[in-house]
Amino acid sequence: MMPNRKHVISVLLAFGCVAFHAVTTFAGSKVVLQKNGDQFQLLRNGAPYRVKGAGGTSNFEKLVSAGGNSIRTWGVEGLDDVLKAAEENGLTVCVGLWLQHERHGFDYGNAAAVQAQKEKCLAAVRKYKDHPAVLVWGIGNEMEGESRQPTIWKAVDEIARSVRQIDPDHPTMTVIAELGAEEYKLRAIEEHCPNIDIIGINSYGGIPTVADRYRKAKSSKPYIVTEHGPIGPWETGKTPWGSAIEATSTAKATSFANGYRAAVLSEPNRCLGSYAFLWGNKQETTATWFGMLLPDGTRLGAVDAMSALWTGQPVANRCPEIEQIQLKADRYLVPGSKLSASVVVSDPEGDDITMRWLLTADSKTIGVGGDSQDRELELANAVKSDGTSATVNLPMQKGAYRLFAYAYDGQGGAAVTNRAIKVEGPPMDVEAAPTVPLPFALYSDKAAQTIYAASGYMGNAAAVKMDLEFRTGAHSGATCLRADYQANANWGGVLWQSPANDWDGTKPGGANLTGATALEFYARGEVGGEVVNFVYGVLENDEPYRDTSKGELANVKLTKEWKKYSISLKGKDLSRIKTGFGWSLAGQGKPVTFYVDDILFVKEK
């Protein structure tokens, strides 16, 4: 008989015989969010409970051995087996109730679709609310996207309100991607989600400052760090051809530990714990970016780092440590040629190391929001290795690839690193961009320029209208730029391109702006409060005529009066700027009008 369960035996007389039907019900746990002044804690069945968890649905025995006590799901698929296995291993479960994302086509303005989604969530709550492994209901994961519309938050709160009515014994939580510019997501939840008890925060590159930013935002709710780990592929550096540069598993272990200390341990009164990402493995940009385990269950350094923090004791036999793969060159590699590679590996306990090398294709896909990806094709017999050295037989087909090196210590631990490479042949002759004098006026009455054209209409382009010679209320001179986005939703924008309509960087153009220290411009809104993004340099691919750097001012809230804005160019490679300027905005529930003037690349004295 499983613990914490009671069995109701119904005795029925049928055809003169006695039949016994055992109907299993659950004696569910009771989880309370306790508040004492500014201090919060979870009480599970009356005892204090701090989350020491990871996201995933397998290898539960290993999680328990490492000192973990909870797992997190993103949906309810296969939840019967997950809850059963969790209970058997003494783990709790943050049950994810998946909410659809607008970027996948879901419309939170469609009342019927929103109601159907709610009913699906509530059906799961009714089914599982009495299972003793349930800890908290995770309502949605990053469903807010980049939208600032209250409809999403109101849908979340309506689900949370009903969940509370059905199951008052487990807190409600919603999970967001970071806090948003100026912590606007926390303010939105504060305003629109009174029935949400806990805020779940997914944070990677921003994890060191989460606790400080949360305190400054003065949210009335506690938080759980629902995802943390290495720097995300959307945050890290890129190769010249656009592949994300992945840290070694050894460096990632440090990121896991530092993030936990900064966001969890530093805020014991408001943070209720965390779920490291990911307990298992998956293809997301690469096969190894987020996984704390390899496919065969071998642990990586992230497990050791979290185990030491969860238990307060170092791991008895630690994973090997590995450095980045060393190559003589990583691009302009000739198809069919050979490439030598080496890597430095050590083991803290001096265990013998076994190496495995492999070469895969690299689609250069940058993972977004956890979307599923196909595993990259492995090129069989492409690498011959002698321990920490290897010879790669480069494929005949040009393209992007990744070389992986795995190190195993024979004690259940491993380390992994990879290098992105480009097979493309010798470099081609590239026409240099013309050098222009500074200051350079991209848009101004004072100087005409013929390098850049406002040709790159984006998103809902039909709703974008621009008047480059608007003659009322200019910041200086006779004219300014007026931009209108005439839709209530979706998004739109315009890029200044050189030459016009070059979206991929295959054509000569742009300007050499070396020496400039800032991109300055003036902007104002029609009524004030309009939120606009401003950018330069958006071509990040490996084409010969791409932008050599990029910059952005995100989510700028305009005032009704002219205001000067600046994007720093210090330390940037400005030898070829193909995209001199651009703006974009998300639908804000009504048409948006704003103005821009005096766009200048300047050199500070």
Side-chain angles (χ1 to χ4, degrees), residues 229-230 246-258 288-289 291-292 299-305 318-324 343-348 405 407 413-418:
E246 183 176 354
T248 69
S249 62
T250 302
K252 290 177 190 177
T254 300
S255 295
F256 273 88
N258 289 346
T288 57
W289 201 288
M292 301 171 73
R299 73 182 196 281
L300 296 170
V303 177
D304 290 358
R318 292 163 290 172
C319 291
E321 297 178 351
I322 197 166
E323 298 180 11
Q324 191 180 63
V343 68
V344 175
V345 180
S346 61
D347 187 82
V416 61
T417 184
N418 71 67

Side-chain angles (χ1 to χ4, degrees), residues 46 205 312 316 377 418 445 450 490 492 571:
L377 176 67
N418 71 67
D445 279 3
T450 58
N490 298 318

Side-chain angles (χ1 to χ4, degrees), residues 217-235:
K218 295 181 168 45
S219 172
S220 66
K221 306 175 190 290
Y223 69 91
I224 293 174
V225 179
T226 38
E227 289 181 21
H228 70 99
I231 294 176
W234 60 92
E235 301 167 307

